[in-house]
Amino acid sequence: MVCRRGRVLGGFLALAAMLPALSACDSGASSPQPSTGTSAGPIAVEVNQSRDQYGKQAIQLQFTNTTDKPLTVTSTRLRSPLYEEDILWQRPGSGLELPPGQPKAVPTALPAATCAATEDASTPQTRATLEYSEPGQEAKEEATEAADPFGVLTRNASELCIATEAAAVATMVLDPELKVAADGRTAVVRLIITPTAQVGGPERLTIESIDETTLLAQSPSDPWPTNVTVGTVKQELQLTIRPARCDPHAVAEDKVGTLLPLRITLGDRQGLIKVAASNDLRGRIYDFVTAACSPAG
């Protein structure tokens, strides 16, 4: 199955719509002079992803100047068979200065995934083409191989693809309301599942399990459901939550604690999708965790 831009990712990927445009406009630099770059170029490129970017269809590109003089990079494009288009980053104006030996990371958005390519178990090569300049010289291009030591591109492409395929079967969203227990120690959040596939469609979706997050855990007395089959009728799963941690930084430093990970089976494929809390629900969850972690009395 091949994903196409324009297919709706479903409610659980609505968070992607909130992602700001991270690629800037044309840098305005002079036209680069082509060169025969190799993998051992003056600027090393590495792909990574921060906790804040996880689940938001965004990554980081890290540049390291391997020379003994400052360089300025103004644009980069990565080509991976896992994605339909190039992964682009541009810095307008004076560009991004790279002192010798000092790495710098910049954020950029991911395009739509090419899902047929994600079924290949091998790790594809990712080529980067950089536009950069040396002091007092015109801009030029250099081609190099981009390192992806943590498999960020493969993981994100796989999740984007199974999310798109799952959206063709059902949309899943978290209700913005939160029902807090009388003692304030637990609360109930509702996962609403609305089938979108036609009756008798070829794909069968099962929620095998729901993972706890860095912020939320299930109640031992009321565990989260497992092996939920998505049929043709709308469903609501009531999930009793409690704080997963109560250290002072639990809420202040939270990045992904309100992204609910669902482990699903779709046909003969298994994967992970994440259902994001809306802004209203996220605020209510933070208030709940703060209150539940406060000393009694």
Side-chain angles (χ1 to χ4, degrees), residues 30-38 42 77 129-134 137-144:
S30 57
S31 299
Q33 303 299 313
S35 65
T36 56
T38 68
R77 63 181 187 272
T129 302
L130 301 99
E131 179 184 321
Y132 75 99
S133 60
E134 300 177 16
Q137 298 186 18
E138 293 186 353
K140 53 186 170 183
E141 283 191 350
E142 183 80 22
T144 185

Side-chain angles (χ1 to χ4, degrees), residues 26-73:
D26 187 8
S27 65
S30 57
S31 299
Q33 303 299 313
S35 65
T36 56
T38 68
S39 59
I43 300 175
V45 183
E46 182 176 301
V47 178
N48 210 324
Q49 190 171 47
S50 69
R51 289 179 59 193
D52 190 41
Q53 294 168 323
Y54 188 56
K56 294 182 178 180
Q57 207 173 337
I59 60 171
Q60 285 183 347
L61 300 180
Q62 179 176 287
F63 305 122
T64 302
N65 179 358
T66 64
T67 73
D68 58 0
K69 54 190 171 184
L71 300 176
T72 299
V73 60

Side-chain angles (χ1 to χ4, degrees), residues 170-272:
T171 60
M172 305 183 201
V173 298
L174 293 172
D175 188 274
E177 297 300 323
L178 184 70
K179 184 178 180 181
V180 180
D183 63 3
R185 299 304 175 187
T186 62
V188 172
V189 63
R190 296 185 301 152
L191 177 65
I192 301 174
I193 306 169
T194 304
T196 55
Q198 296 180 351
V199 177
E203 298 288 6
R204 178 185 178 90
L205 192 154
T206 300
I207 302 174
E208 295 183 337
S209 62
I210 304 173
D211 287 358
E212 295 180 340
T213 74
T214 55
L215 191 66
L216 303 177
Q218 58 188 322
S219 170
S221 60
D222 191 6
W224 295 340
T226 59
N227 298 318
V228 177
T229 299
V230 176
T232 58
V233 179
K234 185 176 181 178
Q235 302 178 66
E236 288 187 4
L237 302 183
Q238 298 196 29
L239 309 177
T240 301
I241 61 173
R242 63 179 177 85
R245 47 186 285 209
C246 278
D247 59 274
H249 306 290
V251 170
E253 298 180 358
D254 178 65
K255 302 296 184 183
V256 296
T258 58
L259 288 175
L260 193 65
L262 308 182
R263 297 196 176 274
I264 69 168
T265 298
L266 183 63
D268 59 355
R269 295 186 63 187
Q270 291 181 311
L272 184 73

